[in-house]
Every structure is written in structure tokens, then in C-alpha cells.
Amino acid sequence: MPANNLVPPPHTIPVHWGWLYFFLVLTFYLHLLFMNAMLGTSVIALVHEFKPGKDDTNAALSRDVSKKLVFFLAFAVNLGVATLLFLQVLYGHFLYV
């Protein structure tokens, strides 16, 4: 059996592959950016929460950061899904989901 028969032929896509690759890289970069922001804000909130000698500024900072953390999580998850969808469109014939 020739090796060419093991990989199915790719399906046609309605636009040039360069557009989909551009959006793949863009959404992956934004996903990494929001994941980094989410991790950084959670570490900042955790450190300030358990910092000895608590005062009102530490509590206010932890409260403000924890409210923004929900949005960072939502954007990170949604951009990760978009990245996987662009990856599936471009390289779906190599993947078996």
C-alpha cells in the first residue's frame, strides 16, 4: 500500500490559505497574551492576599484584580477555541479528532 493512500486529500476551502493561516497565528498570539495576563493577575492577587501586614490598599487591589480575572479567562478560552478551529480548517486532513 503506497503511503499516499494513508493521508486523505484535503478539502477545498473558499478562501486562500494565507488568510486562514494569518488568523491562526493572530488568534494564537492573542490567546497567549490573555493566558499570560490571566496567570499574571492571578499570581498578583494571590501574593497580595497572603501578604503579611494587610491594609486597605492590598485588599482593594486583590478585589479589583479578581474582578478582571473572569474576563481574561473568558477571552483566553474563546481565543483558544478559535485557534483550534483555524487549525482544524487548515490541517484537518492530518488530524483525527
Side-chain angles (χ1 to χ4, degrees):
M1 175 182 228
N4 293 343
N5 293 342
L6 296 175
V7 177
H11 297 291
T12 58
I13 51 179
V15 296
H16 190 265
W17 66 270
W19 284 101
L20 296 172
Y21 186 75
F22 168 74
F23 286 123
L24 170 71
V25 172
L26 177 71
T27 56
F28 182 64
Y29 175 73
L30 290 174
H31 170 71
L32 289 179
L33 187 73
F34 279 107
M35 285 294 291
N36 190 11
M38 185 184 65
L39 179 67
T41 54
S42 63
V43 168
I44 288 171
L46 184 69
V47 166
H48 280 285
E49 185 65 31
F50 292 114
K51 191 173 183 181
K54 278 180 150 179
D55 55 353
D56 291 336
T57 58
N58 284 343
L61 178 68
S62 294
R63 196 170 29 257
D64 290 340
V65 165
S66 65
K67 288 179 184 176
K68 291 177 177 69
L69 192 62
V70 177
F71 294 106
F72 286 141
L73 178 67
F75 281 121
V77 168
N78 285 325
L79 287 169
V81 169
T83 303
L84 288 174
L85 290 176
F86 284 119
L87 189 70
Q88 179 70 32
V89 168
L90 285 173
Y91 302 108
H93 59 285
F94 292 120
L95 300 172
Y96 179 74
V97 180

